[in-house]
Amino acid sequence: MNEHDLKHLRAAMQIAQRARDHGNHPFGSLLADEHGEILLEAENSVVTDSDSTAHAETNLVRLASRKFSAEALSKCTLYSSTEPCPMCAGAIFWSGIGRVVYALSEQGLYSLTNDSPDKLLLSCRDVLARGGRPTEVLGPAIEDEAKKVHEAFWG
């Protein structure tokens, strides 16, 4: 993990805060090219879109797949404020995005959500490892910072 990665993770956390400010769950993601230039951003919109699949990462993958070729996406990194869930990891795989970097781990998130039944205990690393092409996965990183956007949200 390098300084670009940490900078982009912090930007994803700011996007997560925007999602929360807009009345959604606090998750954010962004897509950067191989030079570290930000191409796209997306926030969670599950509540405002009334769409249980409108996670930040799937929203980003939808935008990216319309705009970029699979070849271009293979050189990109998806940065996420929180580890992508199994659904999002599948979308990332199908898009061809070559690298994923996340801040807060699945376990770290679930430690904040109390006794919620909304848990699907399968790491993105495990999902992506079963794909037919490699996807680099880095994380968790700066988890204490990443937890802040979730404070008092999951009450």
Side-chain angles (χ1 to χ4, degrees), residues 3-105:
E3 284 306 310
H4 278 289
D5 292 334
L6 296 174
K7 177 181 143 192
H8 291 330
L9 285 176
R10 289 184 175 105
M13 289 179 228
Q14 291 173 344
I15 297 165
Q17 182 61 56
R18 283 198 321 253
R20 184 174 176 167
D21 294 345
H22 293 143
N24 290 294
H25 303 138
F27 301 102
S29 64
L30 64 87
L31 186 72
D33 68 15
E34 69 267 29
H35 307 294
E37 296 298 318
I38 296 173
L39 302 173
L40 296 169
E41 298 180 353
E43 61 187 59
N44 179 290
S45 59
V46 166
V47 175
T48 55
D49 286 348
S50 298
D51 179 353
S52 61
T53 68
H55 293 193
E57 299 88 351
T58 54
N59 287 341
L60 186 73
V61 166
R62 285 182 190 112
L63 293 170
S65 296
R66 290 180 190 127
K67 190 167 183 166
F68 302 105
S69 69
E71 181 181 341
L73 290 173
S74 73
K75 299 173 189 163
C76 291
T77 300
L78 183 145
Y79 292 90
S80 184
S81 62
T82 305
E83 181 174 357
C85 74
M87 174 187 70
C88 292
I92 292 164
F93 173 77
W94 292 117
S95 74
I97 292 170
R99 186 169 180 258
V100 175
V101 180
Y102 64 89
L104 182 61
S105 68

